[in-house]
Amino acid sequence: MREVYQPCTTTTHTEKDTKPISPIRKKLQQYIPILEWLPNYKWKEHFSGDVIAGLTVGIMHVPQGMAYASLADEYYPLGEYIDPLVYTSALTLLVGVVQIIMGVLRLGFLTTYLSDPLVSGFTTGAAVHVFTSQLNKVLGVKLPRHEGIGMIVRMYRDMFWSLGSVNYVALGISIFGILFLDLGRTFINPIVKKVSPIPPPLELILVIFGVIISMIFDLDTSYHIKTVHEIPRGFPSPSLPQLHFLPALVQDAIPIAIVCYMFVMSMGKLFAKKHKYKTDATQELYAIGLASAISSFFPVYPVGASLSRSSVCEMSGANTQLYTVFSSLLLLTVILIFGPFLEPLPMCILACIVIVSLKSLFMHVKELPRLYRISKYDFTIWLVACLSTIFTDVTTGLVISLVSSLFTLVLRQQWPTFSTEVLHDETPRQNLPEGVEIVRFGGAIHFANVTLFLDKMAESIGRVPEGETLIDGKTLILDGAPIGYVDSMGVDALRDVYRDAQNCGVQVFYCGLPEGVLSVLCSDENFCSVVPSSTFFASIDRCILSICLSNGTVQQLLKNAKMNLAAQCQPFVVSQRPGSAL
């Protein structure tokens, strides 16, 4: 069930592209995607970006992993005090099993309800949490931890009262680091890209600079700037998780499995939209489920998505999953050999890398004016998702966002638009010119069904005879009469369908769209910059007439219509022979 449509970007196909794949190999590629993308890896284009991103993220893994591990040193509700890592390993195993079961049951469709405004607002709100968690390192102050509803407000309150004890050396290093990364990406990267495909590894340069400065000026002792300190060395031995803990962990494992999956898919959908690719929801369930289950034989946490490191990875130029190889190799090297060299690294340097990587997430605020013009419901979803995540916590914010998104769907269905202006099409479908196909989507296009719409349109665009790669001059007409409204994702879907069809040499026309839908489409600059006004027709009849006029086939169309009309009337004429009863 991993048939993901890849938009056609070229009309040239190599022999390798058309080589048939055996059913066994196709099934293996479905569950082990590396068997599909690694043989087709573009070494010249992608290798340098994967290496730099892998090394950069690997550098961040070490101190952040140590910081997260320190949070596990507490009591757990199992009736006894145990080693925290024994508890988390058993929990990780159960979380992985739950996610694999969800994959077997094909529950990946639940991500359909993660609309783009919801994901955008949620990730922006989560970015506020990540940003706030780094401010104490930037200011060089120690703040108490807070959890639950209102934690952000309490954290800023404590930060305000701690302004008198700011470490100005740490603040100065942080300001330098933020300016270095931000200005470097804004001005230096575009210049370097003109002469070299390899972007400068600004994060690695900043880390090396931080280590050197810390060693020269002894920042930890002389200026009381917190550094990474000791990094444990040695590889842990695998062991079977404590299975007798599993019954007590079921009620925790199920919500954690769902939340971890939602985090992975929300980040995946965010980057998928930015870089024009598609995610397979069921495949992601298998991936993170197997990762958690296998890794539970070591002292680990359940597998999820890291907002900060994902952003750093994307900004550092990662192209494929091969970057994880270099990230893992760096981690292994640090664990076994080079740990002491990173111990002088100031924590404020790592905070700078995280903060600058969040810039693109904060820029999602610029979407609000467009959402307000297109759909007030999407505008509301974005605000609710962002604000609920900021003022509660990430998990609660995700739940509130989903509930509010589903509630707006109910409201939209409860109050549909109504119009008395109905256009009737009189063209018999058998009189269509050759190469013209009419399709109809029987309802509004919104976040809950936009994936289905894209898949069906992709099938029509890519429907070709056996042995051919493209139908020259094919025309696709979308009957838009049933489309009562579109939200922001519906607008983007109509735009993407037109663009993908153009790339495949297929003409697409939108006919009979209601006035309300047309006004929404025309008010969006992103849509109008891609789809010309000549794409729209008031009715299918007018669209077909325009096609015939442009192709010079009007006479042939009229001839076919007369022949079909005569054939339809023939039984009636024969039945009226003399003496017959009507």
Side-chain angles (χ1 to χ4, degrees):
M1 195 176 172
R2 191 178 178 270
E3 297 180 5
V4 181
Y5 169 67
Q6 296 296 335
C8 179
T9 56
T10 178
T11 57
T12 59
H13 296 265
T14 63
E15 183 68 24
K16 184 177 179 180
D17 293 333
T18 58
K19 186 178 180 179
I21 301 176
S22 65
I24 297 177
R25 182 180 176 184
K26 188 175 181 180
K27 198 69 175 178
L28 286 174
Q29 290 178 347
Q30 177 180 349
Y31 293 101
I32 311 176
I34 192 173
L35 298 178
E36 179 181 359
W37 62 262
L38 186 58
N40 301 316
Y41 187 81
K42 299 178 181 178
W43 293 94
K44 291 183 179 181
E45 298 178 23
H46 295 161
F47 185 74
S48 60
D50 288 338
V51 171
I52 293 172
L55 296 177
T56 303
V57 175
I59 290 291
M60 295 183 61
H61 271 311
V62 178
Q64 289 195 7
M66 295 175 61
Y68 296 151
S70 66
L71 302 178
D73 190 15
E74 57 183 73
Y75 286 86
Y76 294 92
L78 297 177
E80 58 179 333
Y81 182 75
I82 61 171
D83 183 353
L85 294 178
V86 173
Y87 171 88
T88 58
S89 294
L91 179 63
T92 300
L93 174 62
L94 192 54
V95 167
V97 171
V98 170
Q99 290 167 339
I100 292 174
I101 294 174
M102 291 173 64
V104 172
L105 297 177
R106 303 292 185 183
L107 297 182
F109 72 91
L110 295 174
T111 58
T112 301
Y113 300 101
L114 290 175
S115 65
D116 285 354
L118 186 151
V119 172
S120 178
F122 170 73
T123 52
T124 303
V128 173
H129 283 267
V130 177
F131 173 80
T132 305
S133 69
Q134 304 301 312
L135 289 180
N136 63 324
K137 303 181 184 69
V138 171
L139 299 176
V141 297
K142 187 175 182 180
L143 299 175
R145 287 188 51 81
H146 296 287
E147 296 180 358
I149 297 175
M151 57 181 295
I152 288 291
V153 177
R154 295 194 294 271
M155 291 176 69
Y156 278 102
R157 178 202 61 191
D158 295 340
M159 200 175 302
F160 176 78
W161 294 115
S162 302
L163 291 179
S165 57
V166 170
N167 189 320
Y168 291 101
V169 177
L171 180 61
I173 294 175
S174 300
I175 293 175
F176 168 79
I178 292 173
L179 292 176
F180 173 78
L181 293 176
D182 188 49
L183 296 178
R185 288 175 176 172
T186 305
F187 299 105
I188 298 178
N189 278 6
I191 297 175
V192 173
K193 284 182 179 180
K194 294 179 180 179
V195 296
S196 173
I198 303 177
L202 299 175
E203 289 81 5
L204 287 175
I205 295 174
L206 184 62
V207 166
I208 295 173
F209 170 79
V211 170
I212 295 175
I213 293 297
S214 180
M215 294 177 65
I216 293 176
F217 295 98
D218 193 14
L219 297 180
D220 185 15
T221 304
S222 302
Y223 297 95
H224 307 290
I225 294 178
K226 188 176 181 180
T227 59
V228 174
H229 286 299
E230 183 179 359
I231 297 179
R233 289 177 290 279
F235 197 81
S237 301
S239 61
L240 186 68
Q242 299 295 323
L243 301 181
H244 62 277
F245 288 145
L246 298 185
L249 298 175
V250 171
Q251 62 180 2
D252 294 325
I254 294 177
I256 290 175
I258 295 174
V259 170
C260 286
Y261 174 64
M262 290 297 187
F263 268 106
V264 169
M265 284 306 301
S266 64
M267 294 299 299
K269 290 181 70 174
L270 184 70
F271 293 125
K273 182 179 180 181
K274 182 175 181 180
H275 295 284
K276 309 299 180 186
Y277 64 88
K278 290 194 174 184
T279 57
D280 187 330
T282 302
Q283 178 64 31
E284 293 300 324
L285 277 171
Y286 286 126
I288 61 175
L290 287 172
S292 291
I294 295 173
S295 63
S296 66
F297 289 86
F298 297 92
V300 295
Y301 294 97
V303 174
S306 169
L307 183 64
S308 58
R309 289 197 293 274
S310 296
S311 301
V312 169
C313 178
E314 189 263 342
M315 292 292 293
S316 300
N319 297 296
T320 70
Q321 293 172 321
L322 192 65
Y323 86 90
T324 58
V325 174
F326 305 106
S327 177
S328 301
L329 288 176
L330 177 61
L331 281 174
L332 185 61
T333 304
V334 169
I335 291 173
L336 299 178
I337 303 175
F338 293 112
F341 294 98
L342 291 176
E343 290 176 356
L345 178 64
M347 296 296 290
C348 60
I349 292 292
L350 292 168
C352 295
I353 296 175
V354 173
I355 289 173
V356 174
S357 70
L358 297 174
K359 179 181 177 180
S360 61
L361 299 179
F362 286 124
M363 297 303 290
H364 290 167
V365 177
K366 297 172 65 175
E367 298 177 6
L368 286 175
R370 175 175 178 260
L371 292 177
Y372 187 82
R373 289 193 303 269
I374 295 176
S375 172
K376 304 299 189 297
Y377 287 110
D378 287 351
F379 177 82
T380 304
I381 290 173
W382 197 101
L383 284 180
V384 171
C386 182
L387 296 178
S388 63
T389 303
I390 292 175
F391 291 107
T392 57
D393 55 52
V394 175
T395 304
T396 306
L398 181 59
V399 173
I400 294 175
S401 303
L402 284 171
V403 172
S404 64
S405 181
L406 293 176
F407 182 67
T408 61
L409 183 60
V410 173
L411 293 179
R412 280 185 261 202
Q413 295 298 117
Q414 185 173 354
W415 289 294
T417 57
F418 180 79
S419 176
T420 58
E421 298 179 3
V422 180
L423 296 175
H424 298 279
D425 290 306
E426 304 295 342
T427 304
R429 296 304 178 245
Q430 61 267 31
N431 295 333
L432 290 177
E434 184 178 358
V436 176
E437 180 182 354
I438 299 177
V439 296
R440 169 181 287 209
F441 190 76
I445 305 177
H446 47 69
F447 69 90
N449 62 14
V450 69
T451 302
L452 176 64
F453 171 76
L454 288 171
D455 290 342
K456 294 299 181 183
M457 293 299 293
E459 291 176 6
S460 297
I461 292 172
R463 189 177 298 149
V464 297
E466 291 294 331
E468 295 187 18
T469 57
L470 190 67
I471 295 181
D472 293 331
K474 178 178 178 180
T475 300
L476 193 65
I477 298 176
L478 174 64
D479 183 0
I483 302 175
Y485 70 87
V486 292
D487 62 6
S488 60
M489 291 185 68
V491 174
D492 292 341
L494 290 172
R495 179 197 63 201
D496 293 341
V497 164
Y498 177 85
R499 182 163 47 200
D500 295 340
Q502 292 294 304
N503 291 336
C504 291
V506 177
Q507 284 187 304
V508 170
F509 295 101
Y510 299 137
C511 301
L513 289 170
E515 287 296 328
V517 175
L518 286 174
S519 63
V520 169
L521 297 178
C522 294
S523 66
D524 183 41
E525 295 180 359
N526 295 337
F527 182 87
C528 294
S529 63
V530 175
V531 184
S533 58
S534 58
T535 305
F536 301 96
F537 286 89
S539 68
I540 296 176
D541 291 342
R542 297 182 183 181
C543 180
I544 294 176
L545 181 60
S546 175
I547 295 172
C548 293
L549 288 173
S550 62
N551 296 338
T553 58
V554 176
Q555 296 299 326
Q556 183 63 38
L557 182 65
L558 292 175
K559 182 178 179 180
N560 292 340
K562 290 179 181 179
M563 293 176 60
N564 287 324
L565 181 60
Q568 293 174 6
C569 294
Q570 186 66 28
F572 179 76
V573 173
V574 171
S575 66
Q576 299 188 46
R577 61 185 180 274
S580 63
L582 293 178

